[in-house]
Amino acid sequence: MATTRLSAALSLTAALALISVGSAHAEPTVPEHAVIVCDSASFYANYNSSSGPAGLKRTLLRGDKVGHTRGAHPVYNGWAATFDFGPNDWGFVRQECLGGFGSW
């Protein structure tokens, strides 16, 4: 009987510990300020690992303000997930066209 009470007490303790921790979730990463350093850069809606970039949204020009957090936002085969602060939307642009991090 003492073993049953001990097991119940340990189970209750473990359950209370899990409840107090709460559910796990990733914190959003705010894009680091950057600029387009190429004369022009195609900005695509999506990236497909088998066919490459897809859904051309627009062309970004040198100096356009964008965001990308190195090490936090994905880069697939040189295509970096990028936030365009102009219309406030996400897309993919060539990684070598990103520069001037923290410059504005």
Side-chain angles (χ1 to χ4, degrees), residues 32-38 41 60-68 82-83 85 93-104:
E32 182 181 357
H33 289 172
V35 293
I36 297 296
V37 296
C38 296
L60 301 176
L61 302 175
R62 181 180 296 276
D64 282 349
K65 294 180 178 181
V66 297
H68 172 81
T82 304
F83 187 78
F85 283 98
V93 72
R94 290 296 304 168
Q95 184 176 16
E96 62 266 18
C97 289
L98 299 174
F101 286 91
S103 62
W104 58 280

Side-chain angles (χ1 to χ4, degrees), residues 11-36:
S11 295
L12 179 60
T13 303
L16 290 174
L18 287 174
I19 291 170
S20 68
V21 170
S23 60
H25 66 281
E27 293 297 322
T29 301
V30 177
E32 182 181 357
H33 289 172
V35 293
I36 297 296

